[in-house]
PDB file of all heavy atoms in Angstrom:
ATOM      1  N   ASN A  23    -139.301  -3.499  38.939  1.00  0.00           N
ATOM      2  CA  ASN A  23    -138.124  -4.123  39.547  1.00  0.00           C
ATOM      3  C   ASN A  23    -137.354  -3.065  40.329  1.00  0.00           C
ATOM      4  O   ASN A  23    -136.799  -2.128  39.745  1.00  0.00           O
ATOM      5  CB  ASN A  23    -137.228  -4.728  38.461  1.00  0.00           C
ATOM      6  CG  ASN A  23    -136.137  -5.610  39.036  1.00  0.00           C
ATOM      7  OD1 ASN A  23    -136.414  -6.499  39.823  1.00  0.00           O
ATOM      8  ND2 ASN A  23    -134.901  -5.376  38.636  1.00  0.00           N
ATOM      9  N   SER A 113    -141.826 -11.293  49.399  1.00  0.00           N
ATOM     10  CA  SER A 113    -141.115 -10.958  48.160  1.00  0.00           C
ATOM     11  C   SER A 113    -140.858 -12.172  47.282  1.00  0.00           C
ATOM     12  O   SER A 113    -141.044 -12.129  46.056  1.00  0.00           O
ATOM     13  CB  SER A 113    -139.784 -10.271  48.496  1.00  0.00           C
ATOM     14  OG  SER A 113    -139.994  -9.042  49.144  1.00  0.00           O
ATOM     15  N   GLY A 114    -140.394 -13.255  47.894  1.00  0.00           N
ATOM     16  CA  GLY A 114    -140.096 -14.458  47.114  1.00  0.00           C
ATOM     17  C   GLY A 114    -141.317 -15.021  46.440  1.00  0.00           C
ATOM     18  O   GLY A 114    -141.244 -15.518  45.296  1.00  0.00           O
ATOM     19  N   PHE A 117    -142.096 -13.050  43.262  1.00  0.00           N
ATOM     20  CA  PHE A 117    -141.264 -13.524  42.153  1.00  0.00           C
ATOM     21  C   PHE A 117    -141.785 -14.857  41.615  1.00  0.00           C
ATOM     22  O   PHE A 117    -141.813 -15.084  40.400  1.00  0.00           O
ATOM     23  CB  PHE A 117    -139.812 -13.670  42.595  1.00  0.00           C
ATOM     24  CG  PHE A 117    -139.062 -12.372  42.704  1.00  0.00           C
ATOM     25  CD1 PHE A 117    -138.441 -12.008  43.890  1.00  0.00           C
ATOM     26  CD2 PHE A 117    -138.961 -11.523  41.615  1.00  0.00           C
ATOM     27  CE1 PHE A 117    -137.734 -10.819  43.990  1.00  0.00           C
ATOM     28  CE2 PHE A 117    -138.252 -10.319  41.703  1.00  0.00           C
ATOM     29  CZ  PHE A 117    -137.640  -9.970  42.898  1.00  0.00           C
ATOM     30  N   ASP A 118    -142.216 -15.743  42.512  1.00  0.00           N
ATOM     31  CA  ASP A 118    -142.763 -17.034  42.086  1.00  0.00           C
ATOM     32  C   ASP A 118    -144.033 -16.849  41.252  1.00  0.00           C
ATOM     33  O   ASP A 118    -144.230 -17.520  40.224  1.00  0.00           O
ATOM     34  CB  ASP A 118    -143.089 -17.904  43.308  1.00  0.00           C
ATOM     35  CG  ASP A 118    -141.865 -18.343  44.083  1.00  0.00           C
ATOM     36  OD1 ASP A 118    -140.758 -18.344  43.505  1.00  0.00           O
ATOM     37  OD2 ASP A 118    -142.005 -18.690  45.277  1.00  0.00           O
ATOM     38  N   ARG A 121    -143.045 -15.665  37.847  1.00  0.00           N
ATOM     39  CA  ARG A 121    -142.401 -16.748  37.086  1.00  0.00           C
ATOM     40  C   ARG A 121    -143.440 -17.715  36.542  1.00  0.00           C
ATOM     41  O   ARG A 121    -143.371 -18.149  35.385  1.00  0.00           O
ATOM     42  CB  ARG A 121    -141.425 -17.505  37.990  1.00  0.00           C
ATOM     43  CG  ARG A 121    -140.670 -18.647  37.287  1.00  0.00           C
ATOM     44  CD  ARG A 121    -140.065 -19.588  38.294  1.00  0.00           C
ATOM     45  NE  ARG A 121    -141.086 -20.228  39.107  1.00  0.00           N
ATOM     46  CZ  ARG A 121    -141.041 -20.338  40.435  1.00  0.00           C
ATOM     47  NH1 ARG A 121    -140.031 -19.854  41.110  1.00  0.00           N
ATOM     48  NH2 ARG A 121    -142.028 -20.927  41.092  1.00  0.00           N
ATOM     49  N   TYR A 201    -129.044  -7.412  40.691  1.00  0.00           N
ATOM     50  CA  TYR A 201    -129.873  -7.630  39.506  1.00  0.00           C
ATOM     51  C   TYR A 201    -131.355  -7.610  39.881  1.00  0.00           C
ATOM     52  O   TYR A 201    -132.208  -7.321  39.052  1.00  0.00           O
ATOM     53  CB  TYR A 201    -129.563  -8.991  38.869  1.00  0.00           C
ATOM     54  CG  TYR A 201    -128.114  -9.232  38.553  1.00  0.00           C
ATOM     55  CD1 TYR A 201    -127.468 -10.394  38.978  1.00  0.00           C
ATOM     56  CD2 TYR A 201    -127.376  -8.306  37.826  1.00  0.00           C
ATOM     57  CE1 TYR A 201    -126.137 -10.634  38.682  1.00  0.00           C
ATOM     58  CE2 TYR A 201    -126.042  -8.532  37.534  1.00  0.00           C
ATOM     59  CZ  TYR A 201    -125.425  -9.700  37.965  1.00  0.00           C
ATOM     60  OH  TYR A 201    -124.111  -9.930  37.676  1.00  0.00           O
ATOM     61  N   LEU A 202    -131.635  -7.988  41.162  1.00  0.00           N
ATOM     62  CA  LEU A 202    -133.000  -8.189  41.622  1.00  0.00           C
ATOM     63  C   LEU A 202    -133.686  -9.181  40.679  1.00  0.00           C
ATOM     64  O   LEU A 202    -133.134 -10.233  40.398  1.00  0.00           O
ATOM     65  CB  LEU A 202    -133.737  -6.853  41.720  1.00  0.00           C
ATOM     66  CG  LEU A 202    -133.073  -5.819  42.655  1.00  0.00           C
ATOM     67  CD1 LEU A 202    -133.850  -4.513  42.645  1.00  0.00           C
ATOM     68  CD2 LEU A 202    -132.915  -6.346  44.057  1.00  0.00           C
ATOM     69  N   GLY A 203    -134.879  -8.843  40.163  1.00  0.00           N
ATOM     70  CA  GLY A 203    -135.597  -9.798  39.317  1.00  0.00           C
ATOM     71  C   GLY A 203    -135.821  -9.274  37.920  1.00  0.00           C
ATOM     72  O   GLY A 203    -136.871  -9.543  37.316  1.00  0.00           O
ATOM     73  N   ALA A 204    -134.839  -8.549  37.386  1.00  0.00           N
ATOM     74  CA  ALA A 204    -135.025  -7.910  36.075  1.00  0.00           C
ATOM     75  C   ALA A 204    -135.397  -8.914  34.985  1.00  0.00           C
ATOM     76  O   ALA A 204    -136.341  -8.701  34.215  1.00  0.00           O
ATOM     77  CB  ALA A 204    -133.759  -7.153  35.688  1.00  0.00           C
ATOM     78  N   MET A 205    -134.674 -10.002  34.899  1.00  0.00           N
ATOM     79  CA  MET A 205    -134.939 -10.999  33.858  1.00  0.00           C
ATOM     80  C   MET A 205    -136.317 -11.628  34.049  1.00  0.00           C
ATOM     81  O   MET A 205    -137.086 -11.815  33.090  1.00  0.00           O
ATOM     82  CB  MET A 205    -133.854 -12.084  33.895  1.00  0.00           C
ATOM     83  CG  MET A 205    -134.028 -13.195  32.884  1.00  0.00           C
ATOM     84  SD  MET A 205    -133.861 -12.595  31.186  1.00  0.00           S
ATOM     85  CE  MET A 205    -133.981 -14.131  30.285  1.00  0.00           C
ATOM     86  N   GLU A 206    -136.656 -11.942  35.296  1.00  0.00           N
ATOM     87  CA  GLU A 206    -137.925 -12.605  35.580  1.00  0.00           C
ATOM     88  C   GLU A 206    -139.115 -11.702  35.254  1.00  0.00           C
ATOM     89  O   GLU A 206    -140.124 -12.149  34.695  1.00  0.00           O
ATOM     90  CB  GLU A 206    -137.959 -13.043  37.042  1.00  0.00           C
ATOM     91  CG  GLU A 206    -137.085 -14.239  37.354  1.00  0.00           C
ATOM     92  CD  GLU A 206    -135.584 -13.953  37.301  1.00  0.00           C
ATOM     93  OE1 GLU A 206    -135.183 -12.765  37.352  1.00  0.00           O
ATOM     94  OE2 GLU A 206    -134.799 -14.919  37.214  1.00  0.00           O
ATOM     95  N   LEU A 207    -139.017 -10.407  35.589  1.00  0.00           N
ATOM     96  CA  LEU A 207    -140.106  -9.487  35.274  1.00  0.00           C
ATOM     97  C   LEU A 207    -140.232  -9.276  33.769  1.00  0.00           C
ATOM     98  O   LEU A 207    -141.346  -9.209  33.216  1.00  0.00           O
ATOM     99  CB  LEU A 207    -139.904  -8.143  35.984  1.00  0.00           C
ATOM    100  CG  LEU A 207    -140.552  -8.013  37.376  1.00  0.00           C
ATOM    101  CD1 LEU A 207    -139.897  -8.979  38.367  1.00  0.00           C
ATOM    102  CD2 LEU A 207    -140.458  -6.580  37.888  1.00  0.00           C
ATOM    103  N   GLU A 328    -131.125 -10.807  50.598  1.00  0.00           N
ATOM    104  CA  GLU A 328    -132.212 -11.098  49.658  1.00  0.00           C
ATOM    105  C   GLU A 328    -132.088 -10.358  48.333  1.00  0.00           C
ATOM    106  O   GLU A 328    -132.565 -10.829  47.307  1.00  0.00           O
ATOM    107  CB  GLU A 328    -133.569 -10.807  50.297  1.00  0.00           C
ATOM    108  CG  GLU A 328    -133.807  -9.364  50.666  1.00  0.00           C
ATOM    109  CD  GLU A 328    -135.108  -9.192  51.450  1.00  0.00           C
ATOM    110  OE1 GLU A 328    -135.210  -9.703  52.573  1.00  0.00           O
ATOM    111  OE2 GLU A 328    -136.007  -8.534  50.911  1.00  0.00           O
ATOM    112  N   GLN A 329    -131.434  -9.208  48.341  1.00  0.00           N
ATOM    113  CA  GLN A 329    -131.261  -8.481  47.082  1.00  0.00           C
ATOM    114  C   GLN A 329    -130.323  -9.219  46.133  1.00  0.00           C
ATOM    115  O   GLN A 329    -130.301  -8.929  44.946  1.00  0.00           O
ATOM    116  CB  GLN A 329    -130.742  -7.069  47.351  1.00  0.00           C
ATOM    117  CG  GLN A 329    -131.775  -6.118  47.930  1.00  0.00           C
ATOM    118  CD  GLN A 329    -132.012  -6.306  49.415  1.00  0.00           C
ATOM    119  OE1 GLN A 329    -131.343  -7.127  50.061  1.00  0.00           O
ATOM    120  NE2 GLN A 329    -132.938  -5.560  49.983  1.00  0.00           N
ATOM    121  N   VAL A 352    -126.333 -12.704  42.821  1.00  0.00           N
ATOM    122  CA  VAL A 352    -127.298 -13.694  42.355  1.00  0.00           C
ATOM    123  C   VAL A 352    -128.628 -12.983  42.134  1.00  0.00           C
ATOM    124  O   VAL A 352    -128.976 -12.057  42.875  1.00  0.00           O
ATOM    125  CB  VAL A 352    -127.463 -14.814  43.408  1.00  0.00           C
ATOM    126  CG1 VAL A 352    -128.536 -15.804  43.002  1.00  0.00           C
ATOM    127  CG2 VAL A 352    -126.138 -15.529  43.634  1.00  0.00           C
ATOM    128  N   ALA A 353    -129.369 -13.366  41.131  1.00  0.00           N
ATOM    129  CA  ALA A 353    -130.699 -12.789  40.932  1.00  0.00           C
ATOM    130  C   ALA A 353    -131.570 -13.078  42.156  1.00  0.00           C
ATOM    131  O   ALA A 353    -131.547 -14.182  42.703  1.00  0.00           O
ATOM    132  CB  ALA A 353    -131.338 -13.361  39.674  1.00  0.00           C
ATOM    133  N   SER A 354    -132.319 -12.086  42.593  1.00  0.00           N
ATOM    134  CA  SER A 354    -133.138 -12.240  43.804  1.00  0.00           C
ATOM    135  C   SER A 354    -134.076 -13.452  43.768  1.00  0.00           C
ATOM    136  O   SER A 354    -134.213 -14.152  44.776  1.00  0.00           O
ATOM    137  CB  SER A 354    -133.959 -10.973  44.052  1.00  0.00           C
ATOM    138  OG  SER A 354    -133.142  -9.917  44.474  1.00  0.00           O
ATOM    139  N   PRO A 355    -134.759 -13.750  42.651  1.00  0.00           N
ATOM    140  CA  PRO A 355    -135.628 -14.933  42.654  1.00  0.00           C
ATOM    141  C   PRO A 355    -134.871 -16.227  42.977  1.00  0.00           C
ATOM    142  O   PRO A 355    -135.407 -17.107  43.645  1.00  0.00           O
ATOM    143  CB  PRO A 355    -136.199 -14.956  41.236  1.00  0.00           C
ATOM    144  CG  PRO A 355    -136.155 -13.532  40.801  1.00  0.00           C
ATOM    145  CD  PRO A 355    -134.896 -12.979  41.399  1.00  0.00           C
ATOM    146  N   HIS A 356    -133.633 -16.339  42.503  1.00  0.00           N
ATOM    147  CA  HIS A 356    -132.836 -17.526  42.826  1.00  0.00           C
ATOM    148  C   HIS A 356    -132.442 -17.523  44.298  1.00  0.00           C
ATOM    149  O   HIS A 356    -132.443 -18.569  44.958  1.00  0.00           O
ATOM    150  CB  HIS A 356    -131.578 -17.569  41.956  1.00  0.00           C
ATOM    151  CG  HIS A 356    -131.864 -17.633  40.489  1.00  0.00           C
ATOM    152  ND1 HIS A 356    -130.904 -17.457  39.519  1.00  0.00           N
ATOM    153  CD2 HIS A 356    -133.012 -17.854  39.815  1.00  0.00           C
ATOM    154  CE1 HIS A 356    -131.440 -17.562  38.327  1.00  0.00           C
ATOM    155  NE2 HIS A 356    -132.722 -17.796  38.478  1.00  0.00           N
ATOM    156  N   GLN A 357    -132.110 -16.336  44.806  1.00  0.00           N
ATOM    157  CA  GLN A 357    -131.771 -16.230  46.229  1.00  0.00           C
ATOM    158  C   GLN A 357    -132.961 -16.640  47.095  1.00  0.00           C
ATOM    159  O   GLN A 357    -132.804 -17.323  48.111  1.00  0.00           O
ATOM    160  CB  GLN A 357    -131.348 -14.785  46.543  1.00  0.00           C
ATOM    161  CG  GLN A 357    -130.614 -14.611  47.854  1.00  0.00           C
ATOM    162  CD  GLN A 357    -129.129 -14.875  47.728  1.00  0.00           C
ATOM    163  OE1 GLN A 357    -128.721 -15.944  47.273  1.00  0.00           O
ATOM    164  NE2 GLN A 357    -128.320 -13.926  48.133  1.00  0.00           N
ATOM    165  N   PHE A 358    -134.155 -16.258  46.683  1.00  0.00           N
ATOM    166  CA  PHE A 358    -135.332 -16.615  47.468  1.00  0.00           C
ATOM    167  C   PHE A 358    -135.640 -18.110  47.392  1.00  0.00           C
ATOM    168  O   PHE A 358    -136.140 -18.692  48.362  1.00  0.00           O
ATOM    169  CB  PHE A 358    -136.543 -15.785  47.030  1.00  0.00           C
ATOM    170  CG  PHE A 358    -136.583 -14.431  47.675  1.00  0.00           C
ATOM    171  CD1 PHE A 358    -136.430 -13.272  46.931  1.00  0.00           C
ATOM    172  CD2 PHE A 358    -136.749 -14.317  49.050  1.00  0.00           C
ATOM    173  CE1 PHE A 358    -136.454 -12.028  47.535  1.00  0.00           C
ATOM    174  CE2 PHE A 358    -136.771 -13.066  49.665  1.00  0.00           C
ATOM    175  CZ  PHE A 358    -136.619 -11.917  48.909  1.00  0.00           C
ATOM    176  N   THR A 359    -135.371 -18.741  46.266  1.00  0.00           N
ATOM    177  CA  THR A 359    -135.520 -20.197  46.201  1.00  0.00           C
ATOM    178  C   THR A 359    -134.590 -20.865  47.209  1.00  0.00           C
ATOM    179  O   THR A 359    -134.969 -21.819  47.907  1.00  0.00           O
ATOM    180  CB  THR A 359    -135.217 -20.702  44.780  1.00  0.00           C
ATOM    181  OG1 THR A 359    -136.157 -20.121  43.873  1.00  0.00           O
ATOM    182  CG2 THR A 359    -135.313 -22.216  44.695  1.00  0.00           C
ATOM    183  N   TYR A 360    -133.388 -20.356  47.298  1.00  0.00           N
ATOM    184  CA  TYR A 360    -132.399 -20.824  48.284  1.00  0.00           C
ATOM    185  C   TYR A 360    -132.925 -20.640  49.706  1.00  0.00           C
ATOM    186  O   TYR A 360    -132.824 -21.540  50.552  1.00  0.00           O
ATOM    187  CB  TYR A 360    -131.119 -20.025  48.043  1.00  0.00           C
ATOM    188  CG  TYR A 360    -129.960 -20.240  48.980  1.00  0.00           C
ATOM    189  CD1 TYR A 360    -129.328 -21.471  49.075  1.00  0.00           C
ATOM    190  CD2 TYR A 360    -129.450 -19.173  49.714  1.00  0.00           C
ATOM    191  CE1 TYR A 360    -128.227 -21.644  49.903  1.00  0.00           C
ATOM    192  CE2 TYR A 360    -128.358 -19.332  50.534  1.00  0.00           C
ATOM    193  CZ  TYR A 360    -127.743 -20.567  50.635  1.00  0.00           C
ATOM    194  OH  TYR A 360    -126.654 -20.726  51.446  1.00  0.00           O
ATOM    195  N   PHE A 361    -133.524 -19.486  49.962  1.00  0.00           N
ATOM    196  CA  PHE A 361    -134.053 -19.197  51.297  1.00  0.00           C
ATOM    197  C   PHE A 361    -135.283 -20.050  51.623  1.00  0.00           C
ATOM    198  O   PHE A 361    -135.393 -20.602  52.724  1.00  0.00           O
ATOM    199  CB  PHE A 361    -134.434 -17.722  51.410  1.00  0.00           C
ATOM    200  CG  PHE A 361    -133.283 -16.757  51.398  1.00  0.00           C
ATOM    201  CD1 PHE A 361    -133.449 -15.470  50.911  1.00  0.00           C
ATOM    202  CD2 PHE A 361    -132.028 -17.126  51.864  1.00  0.00           C
ATOM    203  CE1 PHE A 361    -132.399 -14.567  50.894  1.00  0.00           C
ATOM    204  CE2 PHE A 361    -130.961 -16.237  51.858  1.00  0.00           C
ATOM    205  CZ  PHE A 361    -131.150 -14.945  51.371  1.00  0.00           C
ATOM    206  N   GLN A 362    -136.213 -20.124  50.687  1.00  0.00           N
ATOM    207  CA  GLN A 362    -137.482 -20.799  50.976  1.00  0.00           C
ATOM    208  C   GLN A 362    -137.290 -22.268  51.342  1.00  0.00           C
ATOM    209  O   GLN A 362    -138.084 -22.822  52.102  1.00  0.00           O
ATOM    210  CB  GLN A 362    -138.418 -20.686  49.773  1.00  0.00           C
ATOM    211  CG  GLN A 362    -138.973 -19.295  49.548  1.00  0.00           C
ATOM    212  CD  GLN A 362    -139.789 -19.187  48.273  1.00  0.00           C
ATOM    213  OE1 GLN A 362    -139.813 -20.107  47.454  1.00  0.00           O
ATOM    214  NE2 GLN A 362    -140.453 -18.063  48.084  1.00  0.00           N
TER     215      GLN A 362
END
Side-chain angles (χ1 to χ4, degrees):
N23 191 52
S113 296
F117 283 124
D118 293 339
R121 181 197 62 227
Y201 306 129
L202 302 178
M205 179 65 176
E206 286 70 18
L207 269 65
E328 63 187 65
Q329 286 79 4
V352 176
S354 289
H356 300 169
Q357 196 85 305
F358 277 114
T359 298
Y360 176 63
F361 291 151
Q362 289 174 351

